[in-house]
Amino acid sequence: MTRASENTVETALSAFGLSARSVAPLGSYHDACYTVETSAGRFVLKISPPEQDEAIIALETSVVDRILAAEPDLPLPAYRRSASDLPYAAVEVNGSPRYARVLDFVDGLHYADLRPRTRQLRESLGHLLARLDRALLDFSHPAQDRYFEWDLAHAGDAAKLTGTIADDERRRGIEAIFRTHAEKVVPQLGRVRKSVVHSDANDYNLLVNIDPSGKTRIAALLDFGDVVQTHLINELAIACAYVMMDEGDPIAAASDVVRSYNRDLPLTEAEIEILYPLALTRLAMSATFSARWRSLNPEGAGDEYHTISEKAVWALLDALEDVHPRFATYAFRHACGLAPCALSLAVASFLKSHAPATPLTALDPRTTPTHTIDLSAGSSDPAAREIEADPITWSRAVREQIDASGAEVGIGRYDEARACYSSSQFQKGDSEPRTVHLGIDLFAPAGAAVQAPLDGTVHSLGDNRLPLDYGPTVILEHALPDGQPFFSLYGHLSRTTLRDLEPGRRIAAGEPFGTLGDPKENGGWPPHLHFQIITDLLDHEGDFSGVCRAGERAIWNSLCPDPNTLIGLPAGRTDSCMDSATVLKKRSRFIGPNLSLAYRAPLHIVRGRGAYLFDVNGHRFLDCVNNVAHVGHSHPRVVEAIASQAAVLNTNTRYLHENIVRYAERLSATLPDPLRVCFFVNSGSEANDLALRMARAHTGGVDCLVLGSAYHGHLTNLIDVSPYKSRGPGGAGAPSYVHELSAPDTFRGPHADADDPPAAYASEAAAALRDLDGRRRLAAFIAESALSCAGQILLPDGYLKSVYQSVRDAGGVCIADEVQVGFGRIGSHFWVFESQGVVPDIVTMGKPIGNGHPIGAVVTTPEIAASFANGMEYFNTYGGNPVSCAAGVAVLDVIRDEGLQEQASQVGAHLLSDLRSLADSHSVIGDVRGRGLFIGIELVIPGTRRPASRIADYVINRLRETGVLMSTDGPDHNVLKFKPPMVFGDIESRTLLRRLEAVLKETFVASFSAG
């Protein structure tokens, strides 16, 4: 700051009874702005330019006073009163009169700099603006009708400046926006309300605060220097223009603001109609004024605050080229609770009264045997299981379903979320995939005639891009009684159809006008008709979207109402599955309340395939935590083994059956001698409970050594030996026979800084056994071979060897809990205990053993098995049944045949290396540990080893929003745990890394990483 500037600031502050301790300039478009530290606190000082009229200053301050009087809790910085009891003061700068204002300083982050911006935050902005505008509806001031060049009412003046835009293509785009404003908006302005408004809710005038959990809120709306009386809808249009910037789905972002604004200050239909064009006009004005400033400052000299939004404006305008203006208006109508496309109601009513007498195809689905092909996210049918299938494979699966059903016509449902459309073939980048089907498919033989359901005219023809589009397509135009047009689309036709038709040709109801194409004409797709009703073609010809994003479902269903009205399929043939809200409501009524749901926004998962899960909307999620589906969700070999055996026999083990002995032989062959006697149960919990019974029968002891934060199951005995539960919420603590050792955490455990951490941790076992002092007898030491709930901890080298020796010297047995970590997960060994160079006395298994089928196992030595055979029969009704054993054999076969242990080793090594590199640039990652596909990422407060639990919770919930499923573990829930299905490969690894890195760069996490 120059000395002259310092004198000006001091003079201005003195008028408000303040003296500055420090001063720092702020960027601003009109005023000279400063942050000032004073003995009374921190403030913002604004000094007007020399030409500023006092009446405008009075208008600005009066507006704020009025709003805060009506809505005192709105986050607006209040003005400090001057010595003359005004919210401003006259000051002189170099002989020129200026006006100074002092406002409360609000700390926060500019909305423009926040990543990500949440729906809740955008809705809070709409709520704020609506309350602000509501408070000003009857406000008036002598200066409110001033001329202000940024006022959207003066867009015509800005349009005269487009010559300063150097790029010809960009200039033509801006001119087109101004023409639309003149032709479409200006004639409507007489129908909308006027009021005094803030008129500049841009992304640098909004401050945001982030609470400790990562939730965001509007901390302040700044700068009332643009206050003017104009059309009320301009307020919302300006906010929408800036809210759309840097958003993957700008219309959805704007809709959030519109939705909440409308709740507090309802919009008229006329206002909604011009809202989107007005938002575009604001962007056009911003681009034009930035270009003008650059033309006046060719060297870039001066305050570049004038072009602060320029780059984001052009990027948004480019993105909006793909958005039809009427679609945006439909989205805003939906946000306001109106029918998105008003015409759709009339079309639906007309169709109901004009059900056709003739069918769409030569095979009438109303009278011909049909089979509904379930292509939804919840399907178990072969076609739906082919997530990444090419059209030929998909075609074959569909045909097999129809043939197996004995039907002649297959039906693909309307409004069905199709998981196959979430595959890489159909998805663009990381955007929400278009999964919801907007028509009805009728699968019939190639060459079948296609007939018009209504009188119409050929609107347009297209031979569309294959293999992912319709191929040869016809669109017919129809008319309502009042002359309003609507359309019907027929996709996957023959090329002969296109040769025989031309636009404008009349087609009578019932007239055949085409035939179904064969797979060669349609990119390998099975012969079928895609039939769709369209109320607004959005200026398309020969093609139209046949699927939509689930988030836009209501809008597209309005544009494309249910075509079954014209097909006449029986009730129930097109029904979809239960919606998420209904499931959640029924769950809360009928399911125990302590059965928790994962994530803040619960997932409605309906199917899985490989390393992926799919929700009810067909969205795909990369599963990084589901170690139960060990060889991949719905692995076809496991499914086939279960189904085939269940179709023949499933009974208990009191009868001879080869499956149990075959599986016992195969399972014991993976273990070192003398572990070869098998007991089968239903779960890992049952396995651990049985292992404790065996240990006590063999030793005559009761006492157990356990590790801190261990979890071994949910049965009563197991809660006692699971500090994760007994010391957690609702736990009663461990009973006297349980002796807890520290989990050997070498990152931040109690002996992490010891000279020899493994020895220090192992010495606790010897000390605990000495304390028994002959008064009690040890039964067992039970421990996971790698610690899961304790925070994904690999035991330090030599730890188990030392502890096992101490336990055996005391007469106890050693139980290796491999429920979560076995079956090749760590890559280097099939069983994790092998990596420690030990052989336990009892091994327990569950979860991955049957790929989700309820089976568990205990394998022990002949000696311990003999001790357990004490006269009391051991029988488990379902343990070792033929179906479970078939599943177990299939899992072992898949691990071997697909090389999953070797893949875990290779993929895990690369992933660990990449995660450690990521930790180098993100100090919130304190430790990365693990082996194979068993990895823990511990998040800490940077510069410390204190747990960053809230950051971890934020990260897993944000990852879930990006389509990656992880969860937390460890006593402080600050460790991101990674235990995916073993089919997790390099592609999945890259996806995880890319999305994790993106989340770590987000504002909330990055602020911690910066310390």
Side-chain angles (χ1 to χ4, degrees):
M1 288 178 59
T2 65
R3 182 58 191 160
S5 298
E6 292 176 0
N7 291 337
T8 301
V9 169
E10 291 170 3
T11 301
L13 289 175
S14 66
F16 294 88
L18 299 172
S19 178
R21 292 176 175 172
S22 65
V23 179
L26 290 171
S28 177
Y29 196 84
H30 290 291
D31 300 310
C33 295
Y34 309 89
T35 57
V36 294
E37 296 282 355
T38 75
S39 59
R42 198 174 183 189
F43 299 94
V44 172
L45 170 66
K46 301 177 71 173
I47 300 176
S48 68
E51 70 276 7
Q52 187 73 69
D53 185 347
E54 180 180 359
I56 303 304
I57 301 296
L59 169 64
E60 172 189 336
T61 54
S62 296
V63 163
V64 174
D65 287 347
R66 171 60 178 270
I67 295 168
L68 290 177
E71 300 277 0
D73 62 329
L74 283 185
L76 308 181
Y79 287 96
R80 187 178 175 91
R81 316 304 283 192
S82 68
S84 56
D85 200 32
L86 291 173
Y88 60 91
V91 297
E92 189 172 291
V93 179
N94 299 327
S96 174
R98 307 280 187 94
Y99 296 96
R101 287 138 292 162
V102 173
L103 301 88
D104 294 336
F105 178 86
V106 179
D107 198 10
L109 186 72
H110 286 125
Y111 186 99
D113 298 326
L114 181 69
R115 298 292 185 279
R117 294 81 170 259
T118 64
R119 177 175 178 173
Q120 173 269 330
L121 179 64
R122 292 189 291 266
E123 289 188 341
S124 72
L125 171 59
H127 180 59
L128 184 161
L129 291 175
R131 293 175 63 197
L132 181 152
D133 288 344
R134 194 173 58 196
L136 295 175
L137 284 175
D138 60 351
F139 174 83
S140 64
H141 189 276
Q144 67 188 29
D145 293 319
R146 65 173 177 141
Y147 179 87
F148 180 57
E149 71 171 358
W150 280 89
D151 184 357
L152 290 173
H154 302 305
D157 294 340
K160 299 172 184 177
L161 303 173
T162 57
T164 59
I165 301 173
D167 185 281
D168 291 343
E169 185 176 352
R170 285 185 164 182
R171 183 177 62 256
R172 286 192 292 270
I174 295 299
E175 289 170 346
I177 292 173
F178 282 130
R179 279 198 304 275
T180 299
H181 181 91
E183 295 168 3
K184 304 290 187 182
V185 176
V186 172
Q188 302 297 322
L189 293 178
R191 302 170 56 210
V192 300
R193 295 170 285 182
K194 295 189 76 173
S195 181
V196 173
V197 296
H198 176 276
S199 82
D200 195 21
N202 72 59
D203 48 351
Y204 285 94
N205 277 341
L206 291 168
L207 293 183
V208 178
N209 276 346
I210 309 175
D211 74 13
S213 70
K215 293 181 180 178
T216 51
R217 66 177 183 85
I218 302 293
L221 173 63
L222 308 176
D223 193 358
F224 278 73
D226 289 3
V227 163
V228 67
Q229 176 169 268
T230 188
H231 302 99
L232 176 65
I233 192 62
N234 291 351
E235 180 88 286
L236 186 56
I238 291 165
C240 287
Y242 292 98
V243 160
M244 289 191 290
M245 291 180 180
D246 299 315
E247 292 288 354
D249 189 342
I251 301 304
S255 296
D256 292 338
V257 181
V258 173
R259 182 184 304 107
S260 57
Y261 186 100
N262 181 73
R263 288 188 192 127
D264 290 305
L265 186 54
L267 299 172
T268 66
E269 291 200 46
E271 288 168 336
I272 299 170
E273 194 70 23
I274 61 174
L275 175 55
Y276 182 68
L278 282 168
L280 290 179
T281 301
R282 174 64 177 215
L283 294 171
M285 291 175 72
S286 179
T288 300
F289 290 150
S290 292
R292 178 186 62 178
W293 185 89
R294 288 197 180 280
S295 70
L296 297 174
N297 298 269
E299 303 301 323
D303 181 7
E304 293 199 10
Y305 190 83
H306 291 75
T307 60
I308 194 168
S309 297
E310 184 178 30
K311 183 177 179 180
V313 165
W314 285 117
L316 176 56
L317 287 171
D318 288 344
L320 293 177
E321 287 184 1
D322 294 332
V323 177
H324 194 286
R326 289 199 299 276
F327 180 82
T329 297
Y330 297 151
F332 294 161
R333 285 177 59 87
H334 175 60
C336 294
L338 301 173
C341 180
L343 183 63
S344 65
L345 299 177
V347 170
S349 176
F350 175 80
L351 295 179
K352 287 179 181 178
S353 62
H354 289 75
T358 55
L360 280 174
T361 67
L363 293 173
D364 188 348
R366 295 171 298 183
T367 57
T368 302
T370 62
H371 172 69
T372 299
I373 302 168
D374 187 356
L375 299 169
S376 74
S379 172
S380 60
D381 287 341
R385 291 206 302 270
E386 299 299 334
I387 298 305
E388 296 281 356
D390 59 87
I392 294 175
T393 303
W394 193 85
S395 172
R396 184 168 56 246
V398 169
R399 190 70 257 165
E400 287 173 358
Q401 284 190 65
I402 298 172
D403 292 344
S405 70
E408 295 185 52
V409 176
I411 299 169
R413 298 180 296 181
Y414 168 75
D415 196 31
E416 176 181 60
R418 294 181 169 180
C420 60
Y421 291 163
S422 70
S423 72
S424 56
Q425 299 177 68
F426 296 87
Q427 191 169 359
K428 183 179 178 181
D430 288 335
S431 63
E432 181 187 12
R434 296 182 303 135
T435 59
V436 180
H437 193 234
L438 296 172
I440 283 180
D441 292 330
L442 295 177
F443 295 87
V450 177
Q451 302 162 161
L454 302 167
D455 291 339
T457 302
V458 177
H459 172 273
S460 54
L461 309 170
D463 195 348
N464 297 298
R465 179 175 56 88
L466 292 171
L468 303 183
D469 231 320
Y470 296 126
T473 304
V474 173
I475 296 178
L476 301 184
E477 181 175 331
H478 314 280
L480 296 176
D482 64 359
Q484 284 270 32
F486 69 97
F487 309 88
S488 56
L489 180 149
Y490 309 79
H492 297 289
L493 304 179
S494 65
R495 288 199 170 86
T496 303
T497 300
L498 301 185
R499 289 196 296 269
D500 294 343
L501 293 175
E502 60 182 16
R505 174 180 161 178
R506 293 288 301 171
I507 305 290
E511 177 183 345
F513 64 88
T515 57
L516 295 187
D518 62 36
K520 292 180 181 179
E521 295 176 290
N522 280 281
W525 295 105
H528 71 288
L529 172 69
H530 173 96
F531 177 64
Q532 187 170 343
I533 300 295
I534 304 168
T535 56
D536 184 350
L537 273 172
L538 302 176
D539 299 328
H540 284 265
E541 291 193 2
D543 192 14
F544 195 76
S545 181
V547 287
C548 72
R549 297 176 179 138
E552 298 171 342
R553 197 174 203 154
I555 304 166
W556 283 100
N557 283 349
S558 180
L559 280 169
C560 303
D562 188 353
N564 192 43
T565 309
L566 290 180
I567 299 176
L569 295 172
R573 290 295 175 88
T574 60
D575 293 346
S576 296
C577 60
M578 194 182 298
D579 65 85
S580 302
T582 301
V583 174
L584 187 61
K585 183 177 180 180
K586 289 181 179 292
R587 180 184 172 109
S588 65
R589 181 179 179 187
F590 298 112
I591 305 300
N594 51 352
L595 180 61
S596 64
L597 288 163
Y599 307 107
R600 294 172 186 167
L603 285 166
H604 185 174
I605 296 296
V606 291
R607 70 182 303 273
R609 181 70 168 178
Y612 297 91
L613 292 171
F614 298 83
D615 73 3
V616 70
N617 291 317
H619 294 165
R620 181 168 62 167
F621 296 86
L622 176 59
D623 187 354
C624 298
V625 290
N626 219 318
N627 61 313
V628 177
H630 191 67
V631 298
H633 293 283
S634 305
H635 194 289
R637 290 181 66 178
V638 180
V639 171
E640 175 63 23
I642 292 171
S644 296
Q645 181 57 53
V648 176
L649 173 70
N650 193 28
T651 186
N652 63 52
T653 54
R654 291 193 187 277
Y655 308 102
L656 291 177
H657 197 280
E658 66 186 67
N659 277 14
I660 188 170
V661 294
R662 180 189 297 122
Y663 183 47
E665 184 177 29
R666 286 283 304 278
L667 187 61
S668 63
T670 68
L671 292 157
D673 285 334
L675 296 167
R676 61 175 184 270
V677 181
C678 301
F679 294 79
F680 292 110
V681 293
N682 302 322
S683 68
S685 288
E686 279 197 352
N688 281 329
D689 181 72
L690 179 58
L692 289 179
R693 285 180 59 193
M694 288 179 173
R696 286 167 177 159
H698 183 68
T699 63
V702 173
D703 288 41
C704 296
L705 292 186
V706 300
L707 296 179
S709 298
Y711 173 67
H712 297 291
H714 62 83
L715 303 180
T716 301
N717 279 342
L718 301 176
I719 294 294
D720 288 346
V721 298
S722 299
Y724 186 79
K725 290 292 186 181
S726 64
R727 292 187 179 277
S736 59
Y737 69 82
V738 175
H739 310 278
E740 183 179 336
L741 312 178
S742 299
D745 180 356
T746 57
F747 175 64
R748 66 182 189 95
H751 303 303
D753 296 322
D755 293 337
D756 185 354
Y761 282 114
S763 68
E764 288 190 19
L769 292 171
R770 284 195 299 272
D771 288 344
L772 292 179
D773 197 24
R775 293 174 290 107
R776 311 180 67 100
R777 181 177 297 179
L778 179 67
F781 167 59
I782 181 170
E784 287 185 284
S785 304
L787 310 187
S788 300
C789 290
Q792 302 294 101
I793 297 170
L794 284 182
L795 300 176
D797 289 344
Y799 177 77
L800 279 187
K801 186 170 289 188
S802 178
V803 175
Y804 275 20
Q805 186 61 53
S806 297
V807 168
R808 286 167 173 156
D809 289 346
V813 300
C814 300
I815 303 172
D817 180 343
E818 295 265 347
V819 169
Q820 298 202 56
V821 298
F823 291 90
R825 174 160 297 280
I826 65 167
S828 60
H829 299 81
F830 198 83
W831 304 105
V832 183
F833 67 75
E834 294 175 302
S835 68
Q836 287 273 314
V838 296
V839 177
D841 303 299
I842 303 173
V843 181
T844 60
M845 308 162 198
K847 295 188 190 301
I849 191 172
N851 212 49
H853 189 80
I855 177 176
V858 178
V859 184
T860 188
T861 67
E863 181 184 7
I864 292 176
S867 298
F868 186 57
N870 58 3
M872 179 186 292
E873 180 190 18
Y874 174 75
F875 177 70
N876 186 306
T877 302
Y878 301 108
N881 71 78
V883 174
S884 295
C885 290
V889 169
V891 168
L892 292 178
D893 286 344
V894 172
I895 294 172
R896 178 197 62 203
D897 296 346
E898 297 186 7
L900 295 185
Q901 182 178 338
E902 295 77 9
Q903 177 174 302
S905 179
Q906 295 167 8
V907 173
H910 292 146
L911 182 57
L912 273 168
S913 176
D914 290 338
L915 287 170
R916 285 166 180 156
S917 295
L918 192 63
D920 291 339
S921 55
H922 294 278
S923 57
V924 75
I925 300 179
D927 189 38
V928 177
R929 53 182 176 258
R931 188 182 298 173
L933 299 183
F934 179 86
I935 297 173
I937 307 164
E938 182 148 7
L939 303 188
V940 297
I941 305 300
T944 76
R945 283 185 279 186
R946 297 198 309 274
S949 305
R950 287 174 175 170
I951 295 290
D953 182 67
Y954 174 88
V955 168
I956 63 166
N957 280 283
R958 275 294 295 138
L959 282 172
R960 170 246 184 269
E961 292 172 9
T962 72
V964 173
L965 303 183
M966 293 189 81
S967 60
T968 59
D969 239 326
D972 297 297
H973 299 284
N974 68 310
V975 180
L976 308 182
K977 68 177 178 181
F978 174 78
K979 286 184 293 190
M982 294 280 282
V983 291
F984 194 97
D986 290 330
I987 292 174
E988 289 76 22
S989 181
R990 288 193 293 272
T991 299
L992 168 61
L993 285 163
R994 184 177 71 252
R995 296 184 186 175
L996 176 59
E997 183 172 21
V999 170
L1000 293 177
K1001 288 180 177 178
E1002 291 177 354
T1003 305
F1004 181 57
V1005 183
S1007 63
F1008 277 80
S1009 294

